[in-house]
């Protein structure tokens, strides 16, 4: 059974940092595009960052230079290091997986932030940033 379990959310003041983790089980995450999404109350879910095998990475423009996505394939765990947090970053953050993908797919494509294309989702972890 595929499972994604997020952790690391919390409440911080603007300018603070948090590191989110997503523990994957039931599949090998290195064969998937792994992504972080967020959804604030009353807003649509948006892609924040995603990563693919061989290190292809895509970021939402508003988080570039502040957030860093990474994965530890030995632990089957995805991370999102968030720095210089802003109140507008407040949302429920979700981990998601799209795949499995073939080696040829990874060679020909960049990882994407299209939520509808992701097959598996975690339950989310709340991030609240106060001004």
């Amino acid at each position: 059974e595929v499972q994604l379990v997020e952790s690391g959310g919390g409440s911080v003041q603007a300018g603070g940092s948090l590191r989110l983790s997503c523990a994957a089980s039931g599949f090998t995450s290195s064969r998937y595009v792994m992504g972080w999404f967020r959804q604030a109350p009353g807003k649509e879910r948006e892609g924040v960052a995603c990563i693919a095998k061989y290190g292809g990475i895509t970021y939402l423009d508003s988080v570039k230079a502040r957030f860093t996505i990474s994965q530890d394939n030995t632990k089957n765990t995805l991370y999102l290091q968030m720095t210089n947090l802003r109140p507008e970053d407040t949302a429920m953050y979700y981990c998601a997986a799209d795949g499995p993908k073939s080696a040829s797919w990874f060679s020909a494509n960049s990882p994407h932030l299209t939520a509808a294309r992701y097959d598996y989702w975690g339950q989310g972890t709340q991030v609240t940033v106060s001004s």
Side-chain angles (χ1 to χ4, degrees), residues 87-100:
E88 53 264 40
D89 295 318
T90 294
M92 184 71 78
Y93 283 71
Y94 298 90
C95 170
D98 172 24

Side-chain angles (χ1 to χ4, degrees), residues 3-61:
Q3 277 196 318
L4 298 170
V5 179
E6 303 95 335
S7 62
S11 297
V12 297
Q13 291 192 324
S17 300
L18 285 172
R19 188 175 84 152
L20 305 183
S21 298
C22 172
S25 61
F27 69 103
T28 303
S29 60
S30 62
R31 296 186 61 200
Y32 289 66
V33 176
M34 299 297 296
W36 287 101
F37 292 77
R38 66 187 181 187
Q39 188 167 19
K43 295 188 176 181
E44 292 190 356
R45 188 169 296 191
E46 67 177 353
V48 175
C50 58
I51 188 169
K53 193 176 182 179
Y54 308 126
I57 291 175
T58 301
Y59 288 105
L60 178 69
D61 283 347

